[in-house]
Amino acid sequence: MGSGGGALGLSSPLFANGHLSSSSNSTSLPLPVEDGNHLAMVKPSSSIVNLPHYKWRLLIAYDGTRYAGWQFQVSPPTIQCIVEKALIQITKLERECLHFVGASRTDTGVHAWGQVAHFITPFNYDSLETIHAALNGLLPSDIRVREISAATPEFHARFSAKTMREAAKMFIGKHDFSAFVNASRNDRVPDPVKTIFRFDVIEMGPLIQLEVEGSGFLYRQVRNMVALLIQIGKEAIPTEIVPKILATLDRRELAKYALSAPPHGLCLVYVKYNQEHLLLPSDCPTTSFGRHHTITKCKLPFY
């Protein structure tokens, strides 16, 4: 049996304009917006997607005594909720357009001197002093923005490709992937035991490309593995969750932590066979690789 290799180019939170790209194609995707323990997918309007995007880094200090931690919730109030409301008032942008993310989800009552966060605007600022003063003017006295600076599209307050690599290695080897397969309408029950030969996390500027090679893949297995790695990369869950979910053999366990990744960036790159299976039979015509003029008319950008 041949082995399959696939590449998935991710529009990770590192990429400011919300586009997902593989090594060969690019398409628009919904943008992730965090709300408590849930991840909602919001389709950006064309007016937002087509505008340039600018990313801004905040250094925040706060006394957490009166707050239920950092993570967004309206009641009881959290630091993220309070700062986000001030940003919405100043920028006149909706919450899903700001993509406001903090580096660390501090718990109830915990203080911070160097919390880092970022947000995105479709417009640039000539000077940051005015917005800095406006923010601190709106914020309560126990929350202070110490610094505001411009950030590159690659910067993300809480995304770690290193963590993703560590977690991806835990998929390598022979495992029962029952916890990572979605129910299929196919009556045939597939063998849930598959072997992952490699699972690479490759940084390509503002993009992250995931390449996985295995003996075969179950229905939505790759998309489910990638979805979990995204949550780990955002440091929403620890890397140790991978073997724990694998051990349960229960798809419902994965659903507690991640939804399936969208299909748009998934690309089957090649299928491997034993070389003897590829030998040409005797008295056969030569292999055709197409004529030059037919190739140039092909609409596939990578062909």
Side-chain angles (χ1 to χ4, degrees):
M1 178 178 177
S3 62
L8 184 68
L10 290 178
S11 171
S12 74
L14 298 173
F15 201 26
N17 68 5
H19 279 72
L20 177 147
S21 298
S22 69
S23 57
S24 58
N25 205 353
S26 178
T27 183
S28 176
L29 270 186
L31 297 166
V33 178
E34 294 181 50
D35 189 359
N37 294 323
H38 303 282
L39 186 68
M41 301 306 291
V42 178
K43 184 70 174 180
S45 66
S46 58
S47 60
I48 293 296
V49 170
N50 294 330
L51 289 173
H53 285 67
Y54 301 90
K55 186 172 285 188
W56 311 100
R57 173 183 173 273
L58 302 180
L59 186 64
I60 307 171
Y62 49 83
D63 181 329
T65 303
R66 299 192 304 124
Y67 303 100
W70 168 268
Q71 182 72 5
F72 184 92
Q73 66 181 39
V74 177
S75 181
T78 64
I79 306 296
Q80 182 179 9
C81 181
I82 298 298
V83 178
E84 199 169 74
K85 284 182 177 179
L87 284 171
I88 290 171
Q89 185 172 342
I90 293 169
T91 64
K92 309 302 181 186
L93 296 173
E94 297 295 330
R95 180 174 182 244
E96 60 267 23
C97 298
L98 282 173
H99 303 288
F100 182 56
V101 178
S104 177
R105 299 179 180 184
T106 53
D107 294 330
T108 299
V110 175
H111 317 305
W113 175 248
Q115 172 71 289
V116 177
H118 76 258
F119 68 98
I120 293 171
T121 62
F123 46 79
N124 200 359
Y125 286 102
D126 294 329
S127 171
L128 294 176
E129 292 182 2
T130 302
I131 185 176
H132 194 171
L135 265 177
N136 281 333
L138 290 173
L139 292 172
S141 59
D142 49 5
I143 303 176
R144 294 289 90 181
V145 174
R146 294 172 53 204
E147 295 178 12
I148 302 182
S149 61
T152 63
E154 293 84 1
F155 175 79
H156 190 274
R158 201 180 63 243
F159 200 89
S160 173
K162 179 181 178 181
T163 305
M164 291 180 71
R165 289 191 187 96
E166 293 175 358
K169 290 178 182 177
M170 297 179 182
F171 285 114
I172 296 175
K174 190 175 183 179
H175 303 284
D176 186 323
F177 284 95
S178 294
F180 287 85
V181 59
N182 282 24
S184 173
R185 296 177 183 176
N186 193 332
D187 293 332
R188 182 176 62 87
V189 179
D191 182 1
V193 177
K194 304 295 179 185
T195 301
I196 302 297
F197 302 125
R198 67 181 180 93
F199 205 148
D200 299 332
V201 179
I202 304 168
E203 293 183 76
M204 304 173 63
L207 299 179
I208 289 184
Q209 178 167 296
L210 305 183
E211 295 183 0
V212 56
E213 181 179 347
S215 60
F217 301 103
L218 301 168
Y219 181 56
R220 293 198 177 176
Q221 176 188 338
V222 173
R223 289 167 58 186
N224 288 332
M225 292 190 298
V226 167
L228 188 65
L229 289 181
I230 291 173
Q231 293 302 310
I232 292 171
K234 293 167 66 177
E235 298 186 356
I237 50 179
T239 57
E240 295 77 16
I241 200 69
V242 174
K244 291 180 181 178
I245 293 177
L246 281 169
T248 68
L249 307 181
D250 188 347
R251 177 64 178 83
R252 292 171 297 180
E253 188 66 22
L254 175 64
K256 297 176 183 178
Y257 303 97
L259 304 175
S260 290
H264 305 72
L266 185 61
C267 177
L268 175 65
V269 177
Y270 58 81
V271 178
K272 280 186 177 179
Y273 295 92
N274 294 330
Q275 288 301 309
E276 55 267 27
H277 294 167
L278 298 178
L279 295 176
L280 296 176
S282 58
D283 300 325
C284 69
T286 58
T287 302
S288 172
F289 296 100
R291 296 178 180 178
H292 178 71
H293 73 272
T294 61
I295 293 177
T296 56
K297 291 181 181 179
C298 181
K299 295 182 179 180
L300 295 176
F302 53 85
Y303 193 74

